Amino acid sequence: MKKLLREILKEITPTEEEHELEKRIIERIKKKLEKMGVRPVLVGSLAKDTDLRGDKDIDIFIMFHKDVSREELEERALEIGRKLFKELNARYEIDYAEHPYVRGFYRGYNVEIVPCYETKEPRSAVDRTPYHTRYVRKKIRENKNLSDEIRLLKQFMKGIGVYGAEAKVQGFSGYLTELLVINYGSFENTLKAATKWKFNQILDPENLWEDKEPLKYFFPDASLIVIDPIDENRNAAAAVSRQRLAEFIVASIEFLKSPGREFFFPPEERLPSKRELSRRMRSRGTKLMGILFKHSRINPNSLYPQLRKTAIALKKSIDEFDFRILKFDLWTDENNLSVILLDFEVWRLPRIRHHLGPPIDKNLKDQENFIEKYRAYRPYIKNGRWVVDTEREFKKIEQLLPRLIEEKKGFGKNLRSAKKIEIIEDRDILKIDNKGFLRFMDRFLSPL
Amino acid sequence: MKKLLREILKEITPTEEEHELEKRIIERIKKKLEKMGVRPVLVGSLAKDTDLRGDKDIDIFIMFHKDVSREELEERALEIGRKLFKELNARYEIDYAEHPYVRGFYRGYNVEIVPCYETKEPRSAVDRTPYHTRYVRKKIRENKNLSDEIRLLKQFMKGIGVYGAEAKVQGFSGYLTELLVINYGSFENTLKAATKWKFNQILDPENLWEDKEPLKYFFPDASLIVIDPIDENRNAAAAVSRQRLAEFIVASIEFLKSPGREFFFPPEERLPSKRELSRRMRSRGTKLMGILFKHSRINPNSLYPQLRKTAIALKKSIDEFDFRILKFDLWTDENNLSVILLDFEVWRLPRIRHHLGPPIDKNLKDQENFIEKYRAYRPYIKNGRWVVDTEREFKKIEQLLPRLIEEKKGFGKNLRSAKKIEIIEDRDILKIDNKGFLRFMDRFLSPL
């Protein structure tokens, strides 16, 4: 394993030239910003020496005094950012996090100029970032090895697909990765520890809480709880979903059992032909339905949660009509096209269905009304409830889905107003001409 | 309502002639038994003056001193019974309750000669019967009206199909009916009270328990608890199923809302033709499967519970294989033929199925084994558990049922050893040539 990790490190540590170039770019930007009268602070993995080779992100915060109003801060930051990139002759755009900020593209780098307050009591999420940077730098100064170990864990998490706190991934942020290595001392120790994690595992690297028990109740929805060393009331692992946590645990188990470079650099899998995908589709014997959303661009951090919400709402409605979904998933090109894929175990139902009435030992008035209303169907009692066998409105899923899409019950806000929503079935789904989508289909369809 | 009840009473009260004849028969039998040196006691509804017109049951207990051994009691009782009916020139047979006893058929009556101990501390269920008789007689002596009121309630319960504590009905015994009227004072008051019953209702007519709360825990499985006035530790309503209780409550509601003689004397419904039943069967759109048991005679009090047990075991197995039953029921001719009827909402399934593996945060060894075993199927994680999509063994219910019948898992004892078990489908089910069965099918198939 030692040898393997040394090799991986050699591949992922930024080169001298890379760092030289970055240093020059940063110096140039800093000087320009200082001339504009603001204090720039380099944050992020570059600042902490935990960046990976080929990372093209430069994050610079500009600090404002806490007495500056929010409006003024936002206005001035945009003004400064725009001016900066104009002077650099660089393309730029406005993006939104806690505040709007300017992102420019300069000599191949993605440069973010983010405003924040210079305060010990953060007013917004970004205000903590400079403190995070300071904390990690201090830890690395105390133990020079940590940089390498953090780079290994980041690359490992990238390789197995759990890296990133954004809505698409719902995984481990860079800072969380750093905290884990700081806490456990090395890449290997982190993996070893993870194999013993339970859901709702609690870590408190700086031991800010004497009694950890109550933390479960402070963060009831968390799969993993990692107390932020610079803010005892914040869970640095809040974004980690149960699914990504599980995948990390399992990958840790597997890697420790038989280490290999494919964990860090998974080979791109052969993409099966449409013919092959179509064969696998048929062979499942299920009914596959795709809901196609054509929409204007939606920020991915809003789009993914909306797609998840919509898929879950659809599943719930479908369950209520007695159809049965085997599995479902979602995919988007992060631009104009999103797909919710539903795979049905039961998509045809008989004409007759149970219509459940009130329970026998509750409100009598309800019972009388029920019996009166359905007398012709001969109501009967089953498991202490009234039941009639009545006619089913939707006997085929092809009848139900259009209705659900018309109603849009529980759909995400921007998906409700999508320009077009289409239903596609079985083989027609493969007509979606996007390599990313076909890759998604490859994963969705089992190899059977 | 008064007028209706008077009319019903006129129809159900035994005639003078009936009672004269019964009196003569009883006298004759008593004399013969006394000559044989035992003490006969008339019990049952005749003794309590709560019998219905046309009832053909005469129950005579012969009392033994408590020092007589059980073996001697049984032997002597059979001997006496046989001798009695031989002298009367009557056909007779041996039946079994708590003890074996002799049942004879004399002048159109069903005469039971049952041995029991003369003791205040009952050794067996039948020992309480003479005390029950004494208790009810005393209550009726104190309030002559009770006889009529009890007869009305019995006929009402017969009419709506909840009368009888035997396994087939799981309803209200004669004694329980008497206790209800004694407790509430009249037929109408009993019905009024029933409309307010909850499940696990507790009645204690003689107020033998100061605190009724613990009774729920003494009789945890009871739908209705009626403390036996002659034995505070016995629930006189133990036989009443939730289903029959619910039916009684509902009939009470409906009768009080619009009283009518059809509750007491339901008109025999027109039996639809096989063609009509077949049409209704098809129109449901479900899959109907019958399991036909051909067996030697089984005592109905054993047969019905065994059929219920078997049907529930079958349903459970079927659920495990992802098929879905809409409803099921059972029927028997109480002789050689029994049928379990299963009506399927889902009877076809796709080739692929979810094979659930171990949860992610439990035993690691199990997880490794699972992943190893199913590697080719690409195990994935869903809701915190390992899952693989594998091939389903049974895609049609017609493949699964024969296997379940071969295994006989959870089948009733005597049904396991049935001479023949057959599976019949859809229209073939109507080939069972029995009017009772077709009536059952008529109820089973909804009128839609």
Side-chain angles (χ1 to χ4, degrees), chain B residues 316-340:
Chain B
K316 202 172 155 242
S317 302
I318 288 163
D319 285 349
E320 278 168 16
F321 285 94
D322 300 336
F323 297 101
R324 202 193 284 157
I325 287 177
L326 186 76
K327 60 193 266 191
F328 67 93
D329 208 342
L330 47 90
W331 175 87
T332 175
D333 68 358
E334 301 191 10
N335 191 19
N336 298 116
L337 180 64
S338 298
V339 182
I340 290 175

Side-chain angles (χ1 to χ4, degrees), chain A residues 5-6 14 19-20 36 54 60 73 87-88 134 139 164 178-179 188 227 244 255 284 288 295 297 337 341 395 423 445:
Chain A
L5 297 185
R6 262 201 312 274
H19 269 178
E20 279 307 313
M36 294 180 212
I60 291 173
L73 170 140
E87 287 183 9
L88 291 172
R134 207 172 303 162
K139 288 292 169 179
E178 290 157 354
L179 288 183
E188 198 180 334
I227 298 301
R244 290 293 103 78
F255 178 80
R284 296 167 75 80
L288 214 55
H295 50 75
R297 196 177 179 280
L337 182 64
L341 205 60
K395 292 183 275 296
I423 297 171
L445 301 170

Side-chain angles (χ1 to χ4, degrees), chain A residues 392-407:
Chain A
R392 192 180 291 283
E393 193 179 354
F394 299 102
K395 292 183 275 296
K396 302 175 176 186
I397 194 65
E398 298 93 321
Q399 300 165 331
L400 175 62
L401 273 189
R403 163 79 75 95
L404 295 180
I405 280 163
E406 206 182 300
E407 286 179 357

Side-chain angles (χ1 to χ4, degrees), chain A residues 357-416:
Chain A
I360 288 305
D361 62 342
K362 295 283 150 56
N363 193 319
L364 291 183
K365 196 71 205 152
D366 291 352
Q367 297 188 45
E368 286 176 40
N369 292 344
F370 184 85
I371 297 166
E372 204 51 57
K373 186 166 172 194
Y374 294 102
R375 188 173 295 282
Y377 298 104
R378 290 200 217 165
Y380 58 98
I381 293 163
K382 187 172 156 179
N383 302 328
R385 284 187 84 133
W386 283 102
V387 182
V388 280
D389 294 347
T390 56
E391 187 158 0
R392 192 180 291 283
E393 193 179 354
F394 299 102
K395 292 183 275 296
K396 302 175 176 186
I397 194 65
E398 298 93 321
Q399 300 165 331
L400 175 62
L401 273 189
R403 163 79 75 95
L404 295 180
I405 280 163
E406 206 182 300
E407 286 179 357
K408 300 187 173 56
K409 195 176 142 194
F411 277 29
K413 194 171 124 249
N414 296 102
L415 296 176
R416 290 182 77 88

Side-chain angles (χ1 to χ4, degrees), chain A residues 4 14 127 136 179 216 250 254 285-286 292 310 346 364 415 433:
Chain A
L4 170 71
D127 297 344
V136 175
L179 288 183
K216 274 190 241 168
V250 168
E254 299 227 295
T286 54
L292 217 85
T310 307
V346 174
L364 291 183
L415 296 176
D433 218 14

Side-chain angles (χ1 to χ4, degrees), chain A residues 30-272:
Chain A
K30 274 188 163 176
K31 253 183 209 145
K32 283 196 178 293
L33 290 172
E34 276 158 3
K35 265 191 197 150
M36 294 180 212
V38 287
R39 193 162 77 77
V41 174
L42 180 69
V43 298
S45 57
L46 254 180
K48 294 178 278 192
D49 193 26
T50 60
D51 56 323
L52 297 177
R53 184 181 302 178
D55 267 3
K56 294 289 184 192
D57 288 308
I58 297 177
D59 302 323
I60 291 173
F61 275 35
I62 49 182
M63 314 295 280
F64 289 86
H65 190 272
K66 66 178 171 29
D67 292 341
V68 175
S69 77
R70 201 179 158 119
E71 291 73 31
E72 199 186 333
L73 170 140
E74 291 183 358
E75 205 178 300
R76 285 220 53 210
L78 289 182
E79 187 189 310
I80 290 166
R82 284 199 191 96
K83 197 168 169 225
L84 170 74
F85 291 112
K86 272 178 191 154
E87 287 183 9
L88 291 172
N89 255 328
R91 187 168 63 83
Y92 66 89
E93 64 182 28
I94 312 296
D95 207 339
Y96 298 85
E98 191 78 20
H99 310 292
Y101 65 94
V102 182
R103 179 212 315 273
F105 306 96
Y106 181 62
R107 301 189 65 178
Y109 281 82
N110 173 44
V111 182
E112 297 185 356
I113 306 295
V114 178
C116 86
Y117 283 107
E118 198 169 4
T119 166
K120 284 240 160 184
E121 275 157 32
R123 291 204 212 163
S124 69
V126 292
D127 297 344
R128 289 196 197 86
T129 308
Y131 295 93
H132 290 163
T133 304
R134 207 172 303 162
Y135 173 79
V136 175
R137 285 173 70 125
K138 178 170 156 276
K139 288 292 169 179
I140 291 179
R141 264 200 311 280
E142 289 166 14
N143 177 0
K144 301 274 189 229
N145 287 330
L146 288 180
S147 275
D148 284 352
E149 300 293 325
I150 288 168
R151 286 193 172 99
L152 284 170
L153 186 59
K154 280 188 183 175
Q155 186 62 44
F156 182 80
M157 286 190 167
K158 278 194 173 174
I160 63 170
V162 304
Y163 188 75
E166 65 270 24
K168 176 180 182 174
V169 185
Q170 296 185 304
F172 296 73
S173 68
Y175 179 53
L176 175 57
T177 313
E178 290 157 354
L179 288 183
L180 290 176
V181 172
I182 289 168
N183 186 67
Y184 290 116
S186 73
F187 165 73
E188 198 180 334
N189 283 346
T190 305
L191 264 51
K192 276 185 186 157
T195 66
K196 291 187 184 68
W197 284 352
K198 303 277 170 234
F199 287 124
N200 312 316
Q201 181 73 30
I202 296 171
L203 302 183
D204 182 3
E206 290 299 321
N207 228 343
L208 301 178
W209 291 82
E210 205 168 313
D211 178 10
K212 320 276 190 228
E213 260 310 295
L215 292 171
K216 274 190 241 168
Y217 306 100
F218 294 165
F219 305 112
D221 301 325
S223 305
L224 176 66
I225 298 168
V226 179
I227 298 301
D228 187 346
I230 71 126
D231 182 350
E232 62 180 14
N233 294 314
R234 179 174 176 266
N235 175 15
V240 179
S241 70
R242 209 175 148 91
Q243 179 77 18
R244 290 293 103 78
L245 178 61
E247 287 165 2
F248 176 61
I249 294 175
V250 168
S252 299
I253 296 170
E254 299 227 295
F255 178 80
L256 292 172
K257 221 172 112 193
S258 65
R261 64 173 273 122
E262 71 278 11
F263 285 88
F264 298 91
F265 303 107
E268 183 149 327
E269 279 180 44
R270 181 192 66 89
L271 185 60

